[in-house]
């Protein structure tokens, strides 16, 4: 079957000759993806296919809703003989077998737009013998149909399950793309959380906003809960930091001593070094730490710093003591000059030592210091001269390395230490006892604190960092401020941890995810009873007739052929074929469902399948199987009940009387009244009821507000009326024989029946009120336009008022104007200028007509007045009326497609002029003023003969509701 | 037709009598190999495939190539009787001028003149001669050409293409469309074409033409519309007039690219509780905004489609260049609206000489030649280097404390530079909220965001140095670290994952589809287990599930990066020996199905995880940023008050 066949296409309709198509199987249809495109609304998307099987061409009907007709017979598939003609309306396809392929000649069939399939369909098609795999063919054509519709195919990993079907598949659906991965509220919540944490920190942890704990002395006063506060108090930042004042003034405010500032060395003062430059805070609770950062001096005294001011400006500040930490012997010469008695005193050391030689003083000073490291005693010789007496050649330098054990700026662990520093010897403010006293009072036992710090350093000794070179390295590192270990607030392991957290979390998640996948399999047992057959491929999925999109299905046994669904469908999907409704253009179905809503039968004869819409109940008066409404004693028959068609009405009229008689018999206690039954409205139903009532010898009164069968009277003259439904026979007395007849003849036969039966009908009498009372009902009527009032007592009431109602009026000046008509033959007569229906378009020749309204009846009337006639694609207009449409807003939404196309064609051809958003302002004898519907300003004046006000009618539902009859 | 000026008026007049203009439909065979040449064909518009029954040279299987409009065929037939050396089949609706050779022979002067002129428009003799590709790329180029022509993408006038190697699947294009139009008209799945990056390079660029209107030259959607609501408008876009659209959906049915969707005419407004409390709740809700509801068949429908953002504030009437919200809002520049004939070089090169416009750049390729993007890189990369190197040098010279710039020391300078960086970086977040106005393509903002982030981050790290101060500033620094790390991780994801995805996925799909497919596959495996016999069930649960629904097999997806088909091939081979153990034919079938489903499931899982990872890094980045901003504010207040 995979051979490629050759098709030669001759398009007579497009004047294209001999297009050669080489295809495995030719598809014919409306969609562009077909091999042969027949672009007409009446053709299905993919309508038919032709394929070469077993040495002959076969024609396949691939359309589910429309027919493909081959040589006068309807086929699912059939072999093509030379000279066969296939009909795909409105196209005719002539097949000729050419030498190298099949020649297909396409023509437009001019008169095939309207027609009936029945004649052809009724002939049973002989099933040809099939010698090929039908299932494979179905799959093949199904595939081709899909190809014709869509270009894109499904990727390998896309879901196989069908999504929505039919037209619903094009409905917009949201995708996850429209979901934001994060919300702006994340920002807000983070802000809230941070603010809350800040407050908690403020209350619970006073130092939260400080770069480090402040000295106890500075923090001693009552800790404030608001360290960032307006009031300057102890423990608050403002104690020292202030926007306006300098920190030095703040220090001086407490540290009051006369000699404080003057005692600073002149060189330091000149360089602008203030309190905070040497004494830093936030070093810890220990105020001693704050006194002097041990490494502070080497920031300048480091062999690189150049003095900026004074007489030594420009010269380098050298490393103190040749970077020996003050070991006083340089190149074998003892350098230390010793301390004065005053200095000994200031350091709380014995003054007597002042008189000793410098070398002894040096050792004596150190021997006053508690020993570094373990133990309690003071420093001894072995603390420095551990190796014993040095050799001759290294006598000058050997103990020097031991100095670093104390005289170094930081411990190996990186902590700031309180080791003996520059200030131990070189006092900046040492001249004043006042200061010493103050410091002592603030910090408690200074010596004890100092010792603790020294112990701390000593316990962490790391020889590698000591000695001259080690000390220098430490100093150099300190000068460049080693910044790497804690970059970004994290130690190195913090960074490693953070970065590693990503892959670790990823792996953990993956592993958990991988394991979860097996969970649904656990506990699954073989399910022999239900499962075995599930796996088999569903043979039914390729059923062509199994349409999956929404469409109406008609049950012909229930359908009464009432046209309700046909009228209701805005897309012309349904039509009456052979007396019952039939879906004739299924693919036009847009799931409107109004056909099903309007279907009057119960159960519904018209059911829309595959729809998810909720079908609302039909808005018709309620009545039970005895035709009685929810008000006991009131019956409802005919059109008003929602069941249309003349025959139905006549039959209901006959039936209702039997029901009334039955109910009257069962009445307890029997009521006494003037009449047994009052019949309101005398149309086919009322007439039939009255005739039967008379026949059964009941006392009846029949009331009609106009004339008998007024609605039918107003049909166009000579109209052929179908007596529908075809499926039923008329019962009762009112005659209705055959399938239809001319309106006048039918009415005449009814009038004859009225006469022969001696029926009394109260014409021109309008029922205004029906009041229930103990005797039944009082029916109040008006006569002669409300001048005379009548009242009848009846035990039962039958409403047969039809559903026509009274037409809505325009309510503009001049609505009741008359017009003098001078026909070519016959006498002049006066005619109403404003009409509420178009009885016969032939009555209007060369008239200027205005149609008011936007619904189906207005459009139909307007189109009828232009005399629009279609012959295939050609449009002609047979009447010469000047037609103007006046539309208040826009065409109604429920306008039928056919009407829409008609009116647009008329507008395009200039036969109908439309004024949108316009209403009638005033009617004069020969002209009409139009106005803007919203602003009420006059827009234009048009010459005019007739106005058709087709703006609907006041439905009888109002009257029914006033009686208390429930609707819907 | 551009041939006309070459021929001259006199020749045209003479030739007019001998020629006829014809329109052919798709699949028409213009001439057959071996048939006598009786007409000269000049192709005005359309595409045709030349094919030969036998390979032209031994060892070569290039028996086909493609020709665009602007060529002239059949000059060989002018002299003696000649036959067509190849078959020409039309691949789309085509227009051609036919000149009868028999008639032409009666007018020798005209024949000579025509031959001279038309020779310029005749393709070189054999099939494949017009190729500019390296021979190794020929087959790939051919299949890309075939796909472009067969899917009809070449007939678009304004085609949306996405480079899936750059697409980070963030869905912002769809989101931007949604924000501008009310319903997204862009679906990030559609026609996928693997094309060679350039005629000479073998690298494959996976290009996606997503399901969005390509504004066809010959739109099929138009033909079905019963009210004429759909049509071509002034700036070339096909658009739907909402006033006359009756929502019948015929255009959506007719569109071959699924580019038209049916929206509700009166969409239900999202349920929002009004008032201050409702507003507050909305502001604070951590739940994602609910997706808009899908359109139901019962809604009053209206067809919507891409209209190139015309009539939106993005394209005010006086704007000179068009702007498309999808293109504007793509953060990586993966998406571009292009003229297919200019963009797809492989199509360009098969266009006939008559249509070659010398002013066209060959293959505008946004990803290669995007001057603004290059400029951003050119400025950004040196800027990052210079600023950091400068800051480190200054730190070494002055340390933190020494003022060198008026009263400012390095602590201040790095801090302020970092602050400026943070503010500039946050401008991206503001830009991301803008959909309905032009605010510059997002891809440049994104690049600037990355560079500024790196620079600002480095400045702030230097600002902090080794001592992070108190608890607050340490928290601030750590939040900074998190922002920088998540940001760098995001950059890594955006660079690496799309390329990995394109290797794994075959044709690009939406996350929605993958999730659905995952469920289907899971259900299928469960169903197979349920319906099989005990032995088969054991094999499936113990061996198949253990083998494929495992951590290792998931990792294999990422590490091996094999083609889906070849992966399935190998797993089938792996389980073939097991089949004879099962007696029941149905069980054997079930086993092979289960094997395939499990392996496919793992591939789908891998894809889903990658999709999720592309999005997952962002919330931590955003949250860390929010934390950082809040702490930064406190820090700034602290600094201002502590300023001596």
């Amino acid at each position: 079957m995979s051979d490629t066949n050759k098709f030669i296409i001759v398009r007579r309709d497009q004047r294209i000759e001999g297009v050669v198509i080489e295809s495995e199987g030719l598809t014919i249809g409306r969609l562009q993806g077909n091999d042969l495109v027949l672009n007409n609304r009446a053709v299905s998307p993919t309508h038919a296919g032709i394929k070469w099987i077993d040495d002959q061409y076969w024609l396949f009907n691939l359309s589910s809703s429309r027919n493909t007709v081959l040589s006068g017979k309807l086929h699912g598939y059939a072999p093509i003989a030379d000279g066969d003609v296939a009909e795909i309306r409105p196209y005719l396809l002539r097949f000729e077998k050419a030498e190298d392929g099949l020649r297909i000649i396409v023509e437009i069939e001019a008169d095939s737009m309207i027609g009936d399939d029945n004649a052809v369909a009724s002939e049973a098609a002989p099933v040809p013998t099939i010698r090929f795999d039908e299932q494979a063919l179905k799959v093949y054509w199904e595939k081709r149909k899909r190809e014709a519709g869509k270009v894109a195919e499904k990727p390998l990993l896309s879901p196989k399950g069908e999504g929505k079907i039919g037209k619903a598949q094009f409905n917009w659906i949201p995708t996850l793309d429209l979901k934001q991965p994060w919300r702006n509220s994340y920002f807000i919540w983070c802000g809230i959380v941070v603010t809350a944490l800040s407050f908690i920190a403020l209350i619970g942890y006073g130092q939260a906003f400080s770069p480090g704990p402040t000295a106890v002395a500075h923090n001693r006063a009552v800790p404030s809960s608001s360290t960032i506060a307006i009031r300057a108090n102890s423990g608050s930042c403002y104690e020292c930091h202030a926007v306006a004042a300098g920190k030095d003034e703040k220090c001086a405010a407490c540290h009051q001593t006369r000699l404080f500032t003057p005692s600073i060395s002149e060189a330091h003062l000149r360089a602008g070094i203030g309190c905070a430059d040497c004494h830093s805070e936030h070093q810890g609770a220990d105020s001693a730490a704050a006194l002097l950062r041990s490494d502070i001096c080497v920031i300048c005294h480091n062999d690189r710093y150049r003095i900026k001011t004074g007489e030594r400006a420009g010269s380098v500040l050298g490393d103190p003591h040749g970077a020996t930490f003050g070991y006083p012997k340089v190149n074998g010469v003892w350098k230390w000059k010793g301390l004065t008695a005053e200095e000994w005193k200031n350091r709380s050391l014995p003054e007597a030592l002042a008189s000793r030689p410098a070398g002894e003083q040096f050792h004596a000073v150190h021997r006053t210091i508690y020993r570094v490291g373990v133990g309690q005693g003071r420093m001894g010789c072995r603390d420095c001269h551990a190796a014993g007496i040095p050799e001759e050649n290294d006598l000058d330098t050997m103990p020097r390395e031991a100095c670093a054990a104390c005289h170094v700026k930081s411990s190996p662990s990186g902590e700031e230490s309180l080791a003996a520093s520059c200030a131990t010897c070189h006092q900046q403010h040492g001249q004043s006892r006042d200061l010493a006293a103050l410091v002592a009072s603030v910090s408690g036992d200074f010596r004890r604190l100092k010792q603790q710090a020294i112990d701390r350093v000593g316990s962490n000794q790391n020889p590698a960092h000591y000695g001259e070179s080690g000390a220098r390295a430490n100093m150099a590192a300190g000068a460049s401020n080693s910044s790497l270990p804690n970059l970004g607030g994290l130690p190195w392991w913090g960074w490693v941890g953070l970065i590693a957290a990503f892959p670790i979390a990823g792996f953990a998640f993956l592993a958990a995810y991988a394991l979860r996948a097996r969970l649904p399999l656990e506990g699954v047992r073989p399910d022999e009873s239900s499962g075995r057959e599930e796996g088999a491929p569903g043979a039914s999925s390729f059923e062509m007739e199994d349409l999956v999109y929404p469409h109406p299905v008609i049950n012909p046994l229930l359908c009464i052929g009432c046209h309700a669904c046909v009228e209701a469908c805005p897309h012309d999907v349904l039509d009456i074929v052979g007396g019952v409704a039939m879906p004739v253009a299924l693919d036009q179905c847009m799931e409107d469902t109004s056909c099903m809503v309007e279907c009057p039968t119960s159960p519904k004869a018209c059911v829309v399948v595959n729809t998810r819409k909720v079908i609302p109940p039909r808005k018709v008066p309620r009545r039970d199987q005895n035709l009685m409404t929810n008000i006991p004693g009131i019956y409802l028959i005919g059109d008003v009940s929602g069941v249309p068609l003349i025959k139905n009405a006549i039959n209901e009229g006959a039936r209702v009387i039997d029901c009334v008689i039955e109910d009257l018999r069962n009445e307890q206690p029997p009521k006494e009244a003037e009449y047994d039954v009052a019949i309101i409205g005398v149309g086919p139903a009322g007439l039939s009821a009255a005739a039967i009532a008379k026949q059964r010898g009941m006392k009846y009164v029949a009331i009609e507000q106009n004339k008998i069968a007024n609605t039918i009277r107003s049909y166009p003259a000579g109209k052929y009326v179908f007596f529908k439904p075809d499926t039923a026979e008329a019962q009762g007395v009112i005659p209705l024989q055959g399938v239809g007849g001319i309106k006048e003849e039918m009415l005449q036969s009814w009038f004859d029946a009225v006469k022969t039966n001696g029926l009394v009908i109260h014409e021109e009498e309008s029922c205004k009120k029906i009041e229930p009372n103990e005797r039944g009902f009082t029916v109040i009527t008006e006569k002669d336009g409300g001048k005379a009032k009548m009242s009848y007592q009846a035990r039962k009431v039958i409403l047969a008022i039809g559903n026509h109602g009274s037409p809505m009026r325009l309510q503009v000046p001049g609505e009741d104007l008359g017009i003098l008509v001078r026909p070519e033959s016959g006498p002049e007569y006066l005619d109403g200028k404003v009409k509420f229906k178009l009885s016969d378009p032939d009555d209007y020749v060369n008239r200027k007509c205005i149609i008011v309204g936007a619904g189906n009846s207005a459009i139909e009337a307007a189109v009828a007045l232009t005399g629009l006639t279609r012959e295939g694609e050609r449009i002609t207009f047979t009447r010469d009326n000047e037609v103007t449409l006046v539309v208040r807003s826009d065409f109604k939404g429920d306008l039928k497609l056919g009407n829409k196309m008609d009116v647009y064609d008329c507008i395009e051809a200039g036969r109908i002029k439309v004024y949108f958003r316009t209403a009638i302002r005033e009617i004069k004898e020969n002209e009409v003023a139009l106005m803007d519907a919203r602003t009420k300003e006059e827009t234009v004046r048009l010459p005019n003969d007739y106005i058709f006000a087709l703006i609907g009618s006041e439905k009888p539902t109002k009257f029914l509701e006033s009686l208390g009859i429930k609707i819907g | 037709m551009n041939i006309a000026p070459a021929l001259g008026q006199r020749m045209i007049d003479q030739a007019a009598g001998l020629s006829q203009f014809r329109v052919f439909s798709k699949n028409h065979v213009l001439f057959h190999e071996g048939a006598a040449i009786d007409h000269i064909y000049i192709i005005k518009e359309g595409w045709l495939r030349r094919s030969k029954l036998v390979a032209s040279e031994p060892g070569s299987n290039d028996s086909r190539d493609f020709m665009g409009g602007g060529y002239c065929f059949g000059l060989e037939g002018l002299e003696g009787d000649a036959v067509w050396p190849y078959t020409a089949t039309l691949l789309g609706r085509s227009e051609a001028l036919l000149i009868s050779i028999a008639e032409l022979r009666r007018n020798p002067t005209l024949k000579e003149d025509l031959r001279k002129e038309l020779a310029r428009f005749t393709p070189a003799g054999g099939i494949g001669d017009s190729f500019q590709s390296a021979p190794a790329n020929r087959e790939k180029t051919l299949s890309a050409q075939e796909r472009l022509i067969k899917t009809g993408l070449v007939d678009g006038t304004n085609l949306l293409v996405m480079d899936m190697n750059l697409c980070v699947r963030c869905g912002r294009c769809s989101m931007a469309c949604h924000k501008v139009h009310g319903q997204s008209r862009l679906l990030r799945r559609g026609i996928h074409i693997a094309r060679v990056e350039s005629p000479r390079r073998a690298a494959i660029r996976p290009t996606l033409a997503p399901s969005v209107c390509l504004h066809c030259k010959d739109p099929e959607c138009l033909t079905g519309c019963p009210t004429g609501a759909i049509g071509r408008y002034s700036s070339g876009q096909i658009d739907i007039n909402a006033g006359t659209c009756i929502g019948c959906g015929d255009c959506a049915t007719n569109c071959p690219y699924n580019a038209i969707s049916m929206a509700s005419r009166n969409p239900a407004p999202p349920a929002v509780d009004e008032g201050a409390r409702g507003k507050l709740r909305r502001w604070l809700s951590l739940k994602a905004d609910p997706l808009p509801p899908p359109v139901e068949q019962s809604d009053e429908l209206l067809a919507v489609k891409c209209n190139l953002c015309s009539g939106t504030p993005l394209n005010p009437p006086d704007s000179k260049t068009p702007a498309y919200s999808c293109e504007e809002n793509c953060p990586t520049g993966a998406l571009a609206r292009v003229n297919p004939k200019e963009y797809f070089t492989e199509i360009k090169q098969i266009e006939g000489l008559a249509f070659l416009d010398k002013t066209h750049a060959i293959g505008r390729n946004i990803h290669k030649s995007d001057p603004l993007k290059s400029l951003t890189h050119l400025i950004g990369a040196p800027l990052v280097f210079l600023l950091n190197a400068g800051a480190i040098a200054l730190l070494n010279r002055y340390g933190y404390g020494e003022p060198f710039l008026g009263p400012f020391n390095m602590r201040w300078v790095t801090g302020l530079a970092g602050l400026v960086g943070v503010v500039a970086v946050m401008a991206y977040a503001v830009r991301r909220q803008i959909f309905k106005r032009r605010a510059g393509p997002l891809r440049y903002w994104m690049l600037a965001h990355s560079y500024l982030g790196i620079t600002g981050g480095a400045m702030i790290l230097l600002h902090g140095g080794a001592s992070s101060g108190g608890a607050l500033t340490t928290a601030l620094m750590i939040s900074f670290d998190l922002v920088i790390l998540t940001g760098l991780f995001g950059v890594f994801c955006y660079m690496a994952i799309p390329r990995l995805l394109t290797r794994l996925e075959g044709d690009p799909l939406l996350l929605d589809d993958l999730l659905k497919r995952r469920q289907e596959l899971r259900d299928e495996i469960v169903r197979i287990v349920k319906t099989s016999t005990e032995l088969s069930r054991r094999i499936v649960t113990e061996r198949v599930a253990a083998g494929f629904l495992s951590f290792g097999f998931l990792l294999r997806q990422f590490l091996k990066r094999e083609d889906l088909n070849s992966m399935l091939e190998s797993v089938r081979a792996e389980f073939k020996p097991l089949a004879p153990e099962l007696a029941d034919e149905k069980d054997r079938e079930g086993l092979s199905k289960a094997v395939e489903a499990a392996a496919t499931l793992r591939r789908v899982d891998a894809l889903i995880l990658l999709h999720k990872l592309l999005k997952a890094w962002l919330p931590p980045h955003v949250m860390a940023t929010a934390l950082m901003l809040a702490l930064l504010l406190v820090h700034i207040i602290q600094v201002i008050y502590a300023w001596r």
Side-chain angles (χ1 to χ4, degrees), chain A residues 871-940:
Chain A
E871 284 168 25
E873 295 285 303
R874 211 156 57 88
I875 291 170
T876 49
F877 296 93
T878 55
R879 298 194 180 89
D880 50 1
N881 295 310
E882 240 175 67
V883 184
T884 308
L885 253 176
V886 175
V887 177
R888 181 166 276 274
S889 59
D890 209 336
F891 287 140
K892 285 252 174 75
D894 62 351
L895 206 54
K896 301 188 71 165
L897 187 64
N899 287 336
K900 214 177 255 184
M901 288 173 72
D902 284 348
V903 75
Y904 282 133
D905 281 340
C906 291
I907 293 168
E908 205 168 284
R911 301 310 283 256
I912 292 181
K913 202 163 179 225
V914 194
Y915 288 91
F916 289 107
R917 287 171 292 282
T918 304
I920 304 276
R921 182 191 174 91
E922 194 184 2
I923 303 170
K924 296 257 178 71
E925 199 165 335
N926 286 319
E927 65 172 11
V928 167
L930 301 183
M931 65 178 179
D932 187 295
R934 215 165 14 153
T935 60
K936 312 277 179 215
E937 277 167 30
E938 181 172 323
T939 49
V940 70

Side-chain angles (χ1 to χ4, degrees), chain A residues 6 16-22 30-33 35 39 149-153 155-161 163-164 167-168 170-192 194 198 205 208-212 228 238 241-243 245-247 308 481-484 486-490 495 498-499 502 507 509-511 513-515 517-518 520-521 524-528 531-535 590-591 613 897 900, chain B residues 22 25 27-29 32 147 151 171 174-175 178 183-184 187-188 220 246-248 250 252-256 258 261-262 282-289 291-298 301 426 433 461 465-466 468-472 474 477-478 481-482 485 489 505 507 509-510 512-513 515 517-518 520 525 527 529-532 534 537 545-546 549 551 554 564-565 584 586-587 600 602 605 607 609 618-619 622-623 626-627 629-630 634 638 641-644:
Chain A
K6 199 164 166 190
I16 293 176
E17 289 287 324
V19 177
V20 178
I21 295 174
E22 285 187 284
R30 195 181 67 216
L31 290 185
Q32 295 297 311
D35 299 325
N39 195 359
K150 292 286 167 204
V151 175
E153 68 267 28
L156 208 55
L157 290 175
S158 71
K160 298 285 173 283
K164 290 198 169 167
K167 295 224 173 188
F170 303 113
N171 286 352
W172 185 86
I173 41 165
T175 61
L176 291 177
D177 280 356
L178 304 183
K179 202 166 143 189
Q180 245 190 319
W182 55 275
R183 269 189 62 108
N184 295 346
S185 60
Y186 289 15
F187 263 115
I188 297 170
W189 275 110
C190 276
I192 291 173
V194 168
S198 305
Y205 176 36
F209 294 97
S210 145
I228 302 180
Y238 301 98
H241 301 282
V243 180
K247 263 190 273 185
K308 294 205 168 91
N481 200 354
S482 77
S483 55
L484 274 175
N486 272 339
L487 190 68
L490 288 174
W495 280 98
L498 260 188
I499 293 171
F502 285 93
F507 264 93
F509 181 78
L510 274 187
Y513 184 91
L515 289 178
R518 256 183 283 172
L521 283 181
V524 173
R525 309 294 323 167
D527 187 358
E528 294 289 336
R532 286 293 290 178
E533 291 314 306
E534 252 177 64
M590 283 169 47
E591 207 187 356
K613 270 188 167 183
L897 187 64
K900 214 177 255 184
Chain B
R22 293 267 300 273
S25 69
N27 293 335
H28 175 77
V29 179
H32 276 281
R147 209 155 150 66
T151 53
S174 210
M175 173 75 103
H178 189 74
Q183 312 85 11
S184 169
L187 258 188
R188 275 189 308 104
E220 286 177 27
I246 55 169
C248 68
D250 278 357
T253 316
N254 280 358
C255 174
N258 283 330
S261 51
M262 306 306 295
R282 224 168 34 248
W283 269 84
L284 294 182
S285 165
L286 284 176
K287 268 194 295 183
D289 282 325
L291 286 179
V295 171
E296 294 296 334
Q297 197 64 20
S298 52
L301 295 177
M426 290 312 294
Q433 307 299 317
L461 287 183
S468 57
L472 166 86
T474 304
M477 285 311 291
I478 292 174
D481 301 341
L482 283 173
L485 279 181
F489 181 62
E505 70 190 348
D507 291 333
L509 280 172
L510 286 177
D512 311 48
D513 296 328
L515 292 173
R517 183 80 182 125
R518 181 172 69 178
E520 278 181 11
I525 295 173
R527 191 177 54 78
V529 171
K530 264 189 183 169
T531 57
S532 53
E534 183 61 31
R537 189 186 68 82
L549 300 182
F551 185 42
L554 187 62
L564 178 61
N565 280 326
D584 192 348
K586 209 167 241 170
D587 278 347
T600 315
R602 264 297 174 248
D605 280 341
L607 290 174
L609 287 169
L618 191 54
V622 170
M623 296 238 286
L627 195 71
L629 285 180
V634 177
Q638 221 186 343
Y641 278 113
W643 198 348
R644 139 163 89 150

Side-chain angles (χ1 to χ4, degrees), chain A residues 356-437:
Chain A
R356 298 273 195 94
E360 280 179 42
Q361 270 194 10
F362 180 81
H363 287 96
V365 165
H366 281 91
R367 285 180 60 85
T368 63
I369 297 169
Y370 286 91
R371 209 167 20 180
V372 174
V374 287
Q376 288 297 317
R378 291 173 189 259
M379 274 180 87
C381 301
R382 279 177 171 273
D383 284 323
C384 299
H385 303 280
I389 306 298
E391 298 290 317
E392 255 323 292
N393 52 354
D394 57 18
L395 198 69
D396 292 343
T397 54
M398 195 276 281
R400 194 182 291 170
E401 279 158 20
C403 301
C406 302
H407 296 274
V408 79
K409 66 118 210 163
S410 61
S411 71
S413 67
E415 282 170 46
E416 290 286 308
S417 82
L418 250 188
S421 67
C422 308
T424 316
C425 305
H426 303 275
Q427 284 205 324
Q428 190 67 207
H429 312 296
Q431 295 91 337
S432 162
R433 285 298 298 169
D434 293 354
L435 177 71

Side-chain angles (χ1 to χ4, degrees), chain A residues 709-847:
Chain A
N710 192 55
T711 306
I712 295 172
R713 260 173 218 248
S714 64
Y715 283 180
K719 181 180 164 102
Y720 186 87
V721 184
F722 285 103
F723 301 157
K724 291 183 169 175
D726 305 344
T727 46
E729 279 305 313
Q731 283 146 12
V733 188
I734 300 301
L736 202 61
Q737 257 91 48
V739 291
I742 304 297
K743 158 200 150 190
E744 280 80 4
E745 289 173 8
M746 178 177 78
L747 281 178
Q748 195 54 52
S749 73
W750 290 0
F751 297 152
D752 293 345
V754 169
K755 266 186 201 151
T756 51
N757 286 306
L759 294 180
V760 182
I761 311 289
H762 298 246
E763 284 180 320
E764 304 283 353
E765 196 173 321
S766 151
C767 173
K768 290 293 165 200
K769 246 189 216 167
I770 298 171
E771 288 169 352
N773 52 34
E774 70 281 0
R775 290 186 294 164
F777 298 91
T778 309
V779 179
I780 298 164
T781 63
E782 280 178 5
K783 245 179 157 176
D784 304 334
K787 279 171 208 155
K789 289 213 169 166
M790 308 283 285
S791 134
Y792 307 93
Q793 286 298 324
R795 291 168 70 187
K796 304 280 174 194
V797 174
I798 295 170
L799 294 176
I801 53 181
N803 65 359
H804 210 74
S806 36
M808 299 247 258
R809 294 174 62 84
L810 290 171
Q811 290 172 332
V812 293
E815 195 167 359
D816 299 319
L817 270 181
I819 174 171
L820 199 61
V821 185
R822 296 187 191 85
E824 279 169 28
S825 57
E828 297 179 352
Y829 62 94
L830 201 62
D831 199 1
K833 185 174 171 76
V834 179
K835 311 230 167 239
F836 298 97
K837 60 177 170 277
L838 174 67
S839 301
D840 188 351
D842 285 332
D843 293 348
Y844 305 94
V845 180
N846 199 6
R847 297 288 180 182

